[in-house]
Amino acid sequence: MNKFLRRSVLVLLGIAFPLGMSSLSYASPVNSPEGSESETGSSVEASDPNGSSDHLFDSSAELPKPGNNDSSTNAEGSTQGNVNSSASPYALEPFTTEPGMHGKTEINKVSVKFRAPEKIYNLALYDEFVDEASAWNLMLRDYQPEITWLQKDAKLPPLSKSTVSEWVDASDASLVSADPSLKMSELNWYLFGFKAHSCNQEIVRNLEKAVAGLNQGIPREKNSALDEANGLLSMEGDNNLFDASYGMHAPELETRAAFNVKAANAYATKWRNSPNPAYIYFSGNDCANFASQIKRAGGSAMTKGWFYRSRNNYRRNISESWRIATSFAKYWGLTNRTTSLATFASRVHVGSFVGISNVRGQVSHIGYVHIVSSQKTKYHNTWYRLFGITQHTKNYAGWVRPGYKGAGWLSQKGWVTQ
């Protein structure tokens, strides 16, 4: 009888032990370097009183307004709860917010994790105002000279919530043409802030579609949602790594030998002041369009990702990488960012395409380097190698030095090169 009892106990233990191990393994985080890291930020579950975050990534639902977040959204280590055992190789995790300040303005720093087989990309979205009304009043109070100048220079309608998109485009273009004493970068930051929430929504919707397409086996180069998301993302942190892996790029980044600088310079010089009638002209925002024309004149072939077919229905017939500064920069590999004027100047050569990177990490303007000097000059105690820019909006060819046409390139928050 004792032997029977001992055998029964051993059998029961043999069944119970593996069951216990199985349940423990499912309760643990995924065993991967990315999944085991401690992150600062929050999971959306912590901010949802019902404990559900699915509605946040329903394409018909809005991202929650920053003002509705409570302190629980910033619990440390909460991203561990997002690690799941889903069989899908690609996934988009709930976004996280982190409180911060920009000058006198309260903001929420927003990010979202894109889980891919090779790594987790922590994608930075755009900072959102905690209180839009306070931010609006502060902008009107502190940047009145800049607002007055921009409205007159760009012939803009009165500034309102309904016209802010037009003002954002004009302020992007003004960064190189305004008087350096004006704080145009700061006004640009505030103006875009009133578009940030809707822009973040659009990024998330495109990332959702991209994830669905990738999990269905749609190739990256045919996943239009990936291209749309990359075109909207800034060029900060993991965003550049994500773009390098999932963005639309030139078939191969051209070497100097492959690009006909002489032909490009001739085209840039001919059309520096007025538009070529063979192409559409984007009055007030033609920099990337003109840069693409110079690229084409230098021998760059059109591709599925970079093309100009017709001025009619331009959104369909002209690629974003041809006509939009950030998309042009990403397509042609202008992702080497610096905030040092001396470093920027040391990287350029005749035939370089360069960009201005604003305080939000977007490329807001593109130019073409048509001349580089062996001479150095000084700007605000910084010595840098002298060079010249040809560009549109405003249309000119000039030296990048104080008192010359290209002086607006000096007073920027950041620059990008190849």
Side-chain angles (χ1 to χ4, degrees), residues 65 93 200 218 223 226 257 260 271 289 297 317 339 375 389:
K65 297 287 185 182
E93 297 190 359
N200 287 343
I218 297 174
N223 193 325
L226 265 180
N260 188 332
W271 301 108
N289 179 41
N317 289 318
T339 56
Q375 176 187 348
I389 291 282

Side-chain angles (χ1 to χ4, degrees), residues 329-358:
K330 289 182 177 181
Y331 186 82
W332 290 108
L334 276 64
T335 55
N336 196 6
R337 186 175 189 269
T338 181
T339 56
S340 163
L341 174 60
T343 301
F344 169 53
S346 72
R347 291 174 178 172
V348 306
H349 55 80
V350 178
S352 288
F353 289 85
V354 293
I356 288 173
S357 178
N358 62 25

Side-chain angles (χ1 to χ4, degrees), residues 117-289:
E118 71 278 8
K119 69 169 291 178
I120 299 173
Y121 297 90
N122 188 28
L123 302 179
L125 304 186
Y126 294 104
D127 297 343
E128 297 185 6
F129 297 128
V130 172
D131 185 341
E132 283 197 354
S134 294
W136 184 267
N137 291 334
L138 185 148
M139 178 185 69
L140 294 179
R141 184 192 71 202
D142 290 358
Y143 301 100
Q144 197 57 50
E146 290 75 15
I147 290 169
T148 301
W149 179 88
L150 184 59
Q151 183 172 18
K152 182 179 179 180
D153 181 72
K155 299 179 176 59
L156 293 168
L159 178 57
S160 67
K161 297 294 178 66
S162 62
T163 63
V164 75
S165 291
E166 190 175 349
W167 278 72
V168 169
D169 291 341
S171 68
D172 281 343
S174 76
L175 292 177
V176 291
S177 59
D179 187 309
S181 65
L182 293 172
K183 296 177 283 187
M184 297 308 296
S185 290
E186 282 300 299
L187 176 62
N188 179 266
W189 185 89
Y190 274 95
L191 288 170
F192 184 84
F194 299 103
K195 290 179 58 179
H197 183 69
S198 60
C199 191
N200 287 343
Q201 287 178 303
E202 191 172 353
I203 292 170
V204 168
R205 282 194 293 266
N206 278 296
L207 288 173
E208 287 180 305
K209 292 176 184 177
V211 164
L214 289 167
N215 285 331
Q216 291 166 14
I218 297 174
R220 297 177 187 182
E221 64 273 12
K222 294 185 178 180
N223 193 325
S224 60
L226 265 180
D227 192 32
E228 290 290 331
N230 267 306
L232 292 168
L233 285 166
S234 71
M235 300 172 74
E236 297 288 318
D238 268 11
N239 295 13
N240 275 348
L241 299 177
F242 180 73
D243 177 67
S245 297
Y246 294 94
M248 182 75 76
H249 304 111
E252 59 182 75
L253 298 178
E254 297 170 326
T255 64
R256 297 186 201 183
F259 185 67
N260 188 332
V261 174
K262 186 176 180 180
N265 271 11
Y267 185 93
T269 299
K270 182 176 181 179
W271 301 108
R272 66 189 185 278
N273 292 323
S274 58
N276 182 348
Y279 291 95
I280 193 172
Y281 180 63
F282 297 101
S283 179
N285 200 16
D286 197 56
C287 64
N289 179 41

Side-chain angles (χ1 to χ4, degrees), residues 26-165:
Y26 279 100
S28 301
V30 170
N31 185 22
S32 66
E34 294 88 355
S36 61
E37 288 179 355
S38 176
E39 302 282 354
T40 301
S42 65
S43 68
V44 175
E45 286 87 338
S47 64
D48 180 9
N50 298 318
S52 170
S53 61
D54 292 346
H55 73 284
L56 297 174
F57 289 88
D58 180 338
S59 60
S60 64
E62 286 196 351
L63 293 174
K65 297 287 185 182
N68 294 335
N69 293 339
D70 57 40
S71 59
S72 65
T73 60
N74 297 302
E76 290 187 6
S78 61
T79 52
Q80 289 187 0
N82 296 328
V83 179
N84 56 56
S85 57
S86 171
S88 299
Y90 297 93
L92 191 67
E93 297 190 359
F95 80 95
T96 62
T97 61
E98 180 183 344
M101 295 291 293
H102 181 89
K104 306 171 187 175
T105 304
E106 288 185 86
I107 57 170
N108 278 317
K109 297 178 179 295
V110 188
S111 62
V112 66
K113 287 183 170 60
F114 182 97
R115 184 179 292 276
E118 71 278 8
K119 69 169 291 178
I120 299 173
Y121 297 90
N122 188 28
L123 302 179
L125 304 186
Y126 294 104
D127 297 343
E128 297 185 6
F129 297 128
V130 172
D131 185 341
E132 283 197 354
S134 294
W136 184 267
N137 291 334
L138 185 148
M139 178 185 69
L140 294 179
R141 184 192 71 202
D142 290 358
Y143 301 100
Q144 197 57 50
E146 290 75 15
I147 290 169
T148 301
W149 179 88
L150 184 59
Q151 183 172 18
K152 182 179 179 180
D153 181 72
K155 299 179 176 59
L156 293 168
L159 178 57
S160 67
K161 297 294 178 66
S162 62
T163 63
V164 75
S165 291

